[in-house]
C-alpha cells in the first residue's frame, strides 16, 4: 500500500524533523522536508514547486512564505491537507481549498518570540550595536557612535494587540513614555496597558522616538505607512517593523532612509522573502535587517511542528482539529 506523502516546505535551517516527535506518523505517512525556497509567484517557481510536491497529499507550510492560491492548488490534485504554522495565513486561498476538498489546519504561535525580537531591534538601533560590532571585528574605530537613551523617550506603537501590548509593557519597564494608535483602539484599552492613545497615526509618528508596527496586514492596513507618514517622523527617529512588510510603502521607506527623513529602521519582514541578494535594504548603513526571525525560536518550532503532527494525526483519523476558515 502506498502511504500518503507529506512535504514540509521552507525548512531553511534543516530542523523541522528534529524540532518535534514525528514518530506517531511512522508507517502511516512518508514525510520529507524541503530546505530550498520555491516561490510560486513566478512561473518557474510554480513549476518547480509542483514538481517537488505534486505527489503529496499533505503540505506543512511556514507562516506566509509560500502563497497557495487557486491556480496553484488546481495544479496539486493529490493535495488533501495543508497545515500552516499559526492560526492565520492570508497567503492560502481558503475558499479555493475548501472547493477542492482540501482541509486547512493551523497551530498555536507564541507572542513572546516576536516581542523579544522587536526589542532586539530597538536596542540594536538605539545603541548602534550592528555598526559597533562590525567596526570591532574589522579593527575599526573604538567607539564611533553615541547611543540613544531610551528612558524618558517616546515609544509609539502602531497596534496594541497581543504583541503590541507586550512590547508596551517592556517599554514602560525601560522608563519610556508609551503612546499607541490603531484603527479600533479606544482610551479604555489603552489605559489597560498603561499607555496613552494618540489621536491619529501621524500624531503618533510625529511624537515617537521609536515607532514599532504591530498590525495585521489587510486591505485596510496595506501601505498604511507611506510618504506622508514617514515625513511626519522626526529625522532622529527610528521605525521598527516585525509585523508585515506590506504595512509600509517600500519605495517611500527607501527614500526616507536614503534622504534622512528618519534616522534608520529595524526590519525583520520584506515583500519578497528571502530578500533578494541585490536589495538595497541589505546594505543601507542605517538599516538593521534580520532574515524574518521574529517567530524563529526553539520553543515556537517545537510548538509549530509538534502541533503539525497532531493535525496530521487528527486528519488521518477523520477528525481534523484547529481548522481554518
Amino acid at each position: 500500500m502506498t502511504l500518503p506523502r507529506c512535504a514540509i516546505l521552507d525548512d531553511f535551517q534543516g530542523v523541522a524533523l528534529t524540532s518535534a516527535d514525528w514518530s506517531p506518523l511512522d508507517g502511516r505517512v512518508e514525510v520529507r522536508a524541503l530546505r530550498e525556497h520555491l516561490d510560486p509567484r513566478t512561473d518557474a517557481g510554480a513549476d518547480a514547486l509542483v514538481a517537488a510536491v505534486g505527489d503529496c497529499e499533505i503540505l506543512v507550510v511556514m507562516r506566509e512564505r509560500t502563497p497557495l492560491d487557486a491556480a496553484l492548488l488546481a495544479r496539486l490534485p493529490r493535495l488533501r491537507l495543508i497545515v500552516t504554522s499559526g492560526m492565520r495565513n492570508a497567503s492560502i486561498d481558503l475558499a479555493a481549498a475548501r472547493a477542492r476538498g482540501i482541509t486547512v489546519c493551523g497551530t498555536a504561535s507564541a507572542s513572546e518570540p516576536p516581542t523579544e525580537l522587536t526589542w532586539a531591534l530597538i536596542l540594536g538601533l538605539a545603541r548602534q550595536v550592528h555598526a559597533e560590532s562590525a567596526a570591532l571585528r574589522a579593527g575599526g574605530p573604538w567607539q564611533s557612535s553615541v547611543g540613544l537613551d531610551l528612558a524618558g523617550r517616546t515609544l509609539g506603537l502602531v497596534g496594541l494587540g497581543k504583541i503590541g501590548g507586550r512590547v508596551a509593557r517592556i517599554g514602560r519597564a525601560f522608563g519610556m513614555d508609551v503612546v499607541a494608535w490603531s484603527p479600533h483602539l479606544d482610551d479604555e484599552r489603552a489605559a489597560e496597558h498603561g499607555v496613552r492613545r494618540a489621536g491619529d497615526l501621524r500624531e503618533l509618528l510625529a511624537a515617537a522616538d521609536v515607532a514599532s508596527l504591530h498590525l495585521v496586514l489587510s486591505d485596510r492596513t496595506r501601505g498604511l505607512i507611506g510618504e506622508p507618514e514617514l515625513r511626519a517622523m522626526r529625522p532622529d527617529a527610528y521605525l521598527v517593523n516585525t509585523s508585515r512588510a506590506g504595512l509600509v510603502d517600500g519605495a517611500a521607506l527607501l527614500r526616507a532612509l536614503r534622504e534622512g527623513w528618519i534616522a534608520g529602521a529595524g526590519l525583520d519582514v520584506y515583500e519578497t522573502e528571502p530578500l533578494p541578494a541585490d536589495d538595497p535594504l541589505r546594505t543601507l548603513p542605517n538599516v538593521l535587517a534580520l532574515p524574518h526571525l521574529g517567530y524563529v525560536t526553539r520553543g515556537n518550532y517545537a510548538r509549530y511542528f509538534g502541533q503539525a503532527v497532531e493535525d496530521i494525526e487528527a486528519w488521518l483519523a477523520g477528525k481534523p482539529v484547529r481548522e481554518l476558515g
Side-chain angles (χ1 to χ4, degrees):
M1 181 182 69
T2 302
L3 298 178
R5 298 181 177 92
C6 169
I8 305 168
L9 301 186
D10 297 315
D11 181 20
F12 293 148
Q13 302 100 331
V15 298
L17 295 177
T18 57
S19 292
D21 180 10
W22 291 81
S23 65
L25 302 181
D26 288 351
R28 305 170 67 193
V29 179
E30 291 183 11
V31 182
R32 63 180 185 263
L34 307 181
R35 297 191 63 173
E36 180 184 359
H37 178 64
L38 302 172
D39 190 348
R41 289 172 294 187
T42 67
D43 290 342
D47 291 345
L49 182 61
V50 170
V53 304
D55 63 335
C56 292
E57 287 81 8
I58 304 167
L59 290 182
V60 177
V61 301
M62 182 60 70
R63 310 300 291 182
E64 297 171 356
R65 289 177 183 168
T66 307
L68 299 173
D69 61 14
L72 183 61
L73 293 175
R75 299 181 64 185
L76 300 171
R78 296 178 64 93
L79 188 59
R80 289 294 173 265
L81 173 66
I82 301 170
V83 178
T84 176
S85 58
M87 289 301 296
R88 181 190 299 116
N89 191 327
S91 71
I92 298 174
D93 188 329
L94 295 177
R98 191 180 308 113
R100 300 192 67 84
I102 301 170
T103 301
V104 182
C105 299
T107 73
S109 182
S111 300
E112 292 86 352
T115 299
E116 293 165 3
L117 192 87
T118 296
W119 277 101
L121 289 172
I122 293 173
L123 291 168
L125 288 167
R127 301 304 294 270
Q128 295 297 302
V129 169
H130 55 312
E132 292 287 3
S133 177
L136 183 68
R137 289 175 176 271
W142 184 262
Q143 297 185 352
S144 59
S145 63
V146 178
L148 172 70
D149 300 278
L150 293 181
R153 299 284 184 165
T154 299
L155 173 64
L157 299 177
V158 183
L160 197 64
K162 289 182 180 179
I163 297 172
R166 289 180 179 275
V167 172
R169 188 157 62 245
I170 296 169
R172 291 170 56 209
F174 272 110
M176 300 187 76
D177 175 29
V178 184
V179 59
W181 175 90
S182 74
H184 304 294
L185 181 64
D186 56 30
D187 290 329
E188 182 179 1
R189 179 167 178 78
E192 288 174 2
H193 288 278
V195 308
R196 296 186 293 110
R197 183 179 69 86
D200 57 42
L201 177 57
R202 292 192 196 179
E203 177 186 319
L204 177 141
L205 294 172
D209 295 285
V210 179
S212 188
L213 309 184
H214 302 285
L215 288 176
V216 173
L217 181 62
S218 67
D219 290 340
R220 289 189 61 188
T221 61
R222 181 174 292 280
L224 184 70
I225 308 295
E227 179 173 338
E229 290 72 28
L230 290 166
R231 287 192 180 277
M233 297 179 69
R234 298 197 312 273
D236 59 351
Y238 294 101
L239 180 72
V240 174
N241 190 2
T242 58
S243 185
R244 289 291 182 268
L247 296 172
V248 183
D249 180 325
L253 178 59
L254 278 177
R255 283 194 64 197
L257 292 165
R258 285 170 167 160
E259 298 178 15
W261 307 352
I262 60 176
L267 305 174
D268 190 45
V269 288
Y270 313 92
E271 284 287 2
T272 300
E273 297 185 6
L275 191 64
D278 60 351
D279 193 293
L281 291 175
R282 287 183 177 267
T283 56
L284 283 174
N286 56 350
V287 174
L288 176 52
L290 296 176
H292 206 157
L293 297 178
Y295 56 88
V296 180
T297 65
R298 294 175 184 176
N300 235 10
Y301 270 19
R303 185 175 296 106
Y304 288 167
F305 295 117
Q307 292 192 9
V309 173
E310 294 173 3
D311 287 352
I312 295 170
E313 283 192 285
W315 176 77
L316 289 171
K319 300 178 180 180
V321 295
R322 293 186 284 268
E323 286 190 74
L324 304 188

